[in-house]
Amino acid sequence: MRHVSSSPFCCCFYFLFFFFFLLTPTDGISLTSVLSVDIINKTCKTCSDKSTVFNYTFCLASLQEIPVSHMTNLQGPAIIAMELASQNATNTLLIIKELLNNETLGPSSLAFLRNCSLLYSDGVVTLVDTFGAFLTGQYGNAGAWVNAVMEGSTTCEEGFQDMEEVSLLTKQN
């Protein structure tokens, strides 16, 4: 069973997942007619209503922290979420790099960290591709790539759990 987190990384991906796969024109969220003040609230509410794992409060708090998210259309929060996800993945790579230099870690922890480094490196590249696909209206590709990146963070966490190791990246994953 997968561990569901409320980390910023997961929030961004859940937002993007629900944007690509669950929001439809009949949801009452119009790309042009919604007041920008309500976009974040309505989007987070719609996503949380359609999922048992999506955290409305965390989504709202994460996106409301960014002033530009209040002056945008429905696509704006998705772009902001992709930017946040990219920043979080890059920060996670920096943490992994620091941990790999820790001489007190055992060989299995180092192996898991190297695997996570590859997964997150691929994830950063994929997020760049996702951003491009999204901006050109290739929502199917963007959604598939978001899923792939989400799987990478899950795979990283599960690698530690499968070997009954304490994950050094639970907060980031």
Side-chain angles (χ1 to χ4, degrees):
M1 177 175 218
R2 292 192 180 162
H3 172 71
V4 177
S5 173
S6 289
S7 74
F9 193 70
C10 285
C11 178
C12 294
F13 284 115
Y14 286 126
F15 177 83
L16 291 171
F17 174 81
F18 288 104
F19 179 86
F20 291 127
F21 294 109
L22 296 181
L23 293 180
T24 63
T26 60
D27 287 329
I29 299 178
S30 166
L31 290 175
T32 57
S33 66
V34 177
L35 295 173
S36 62
V37 175
D38 290 335
I39 288 174
I40 295 170
N41 183 46
K42 286 184 179 184
T43 303
C44 290
K45 177 78 171 120
T46 300
C47 292
S48 67
D49 286 349
K50 292 186 175 194
S51 170
T52 58
V53 297
F54 193 88
N55 185 311
Y56 167 80
T57 304
F58 188 76
C59 174
L60 199 62
S62 296
L63 292 175
Q64 282 184 335
E65 284 183 20
I66 303 165
V68 72
S69 68
H70 297 280
M71 301 177 286
T72 186
N73 59 21
L74 182 58
Q75 291 174 329
I79 291 169
I80 292 166
M82 283 185 272
E83 287 291 329
L84 288 172
S86 180
Q87 288 174 6
N88 287 328
T90 302
N91 289 339
T92 299
L93 278 170
L94 293 173
I95 290 168
I96 292 170
K97 184 178 179 180
E98 288 176 18
L99 289 169
L100 285 170
N101 291 324
N102 184 337
E103 295 176 6
T104 64
L105 295 177
S108 59
S109 291
L110 292 171
F112 295 134
L113 286 170
R114 283 190 289 275
N115 184 46
C116 291
S117 179
L118 291 173
L119 291 166
Y120 273 92
S121 293
D122 289 347
V124 169
V125 172
T126 302
L127 283 170
V128 171
D129 293 340
T130 301
F131 189 75
F134 181 81
L135 291 177
T136 59
Q138 299 172 17
Y139 301 122
N141 287 342
W145 295 337
V146 164
N147 279 336
V149 176
M150 286 175 63
E151 283 296 317
S153 66
T154 300
T155 300
C156 174
E157 185 68 21
E158 287 175 347
F160 285 98
Q161 292 172 357
D162 289 347
M163 297 304 292
E164 298 181 2
E165 289 274 334
V166 175
S167 173
L168 303 172
L169 299 169
T170 297
K171 181 178 177 184
Q172 288 76 26
N173 289 330

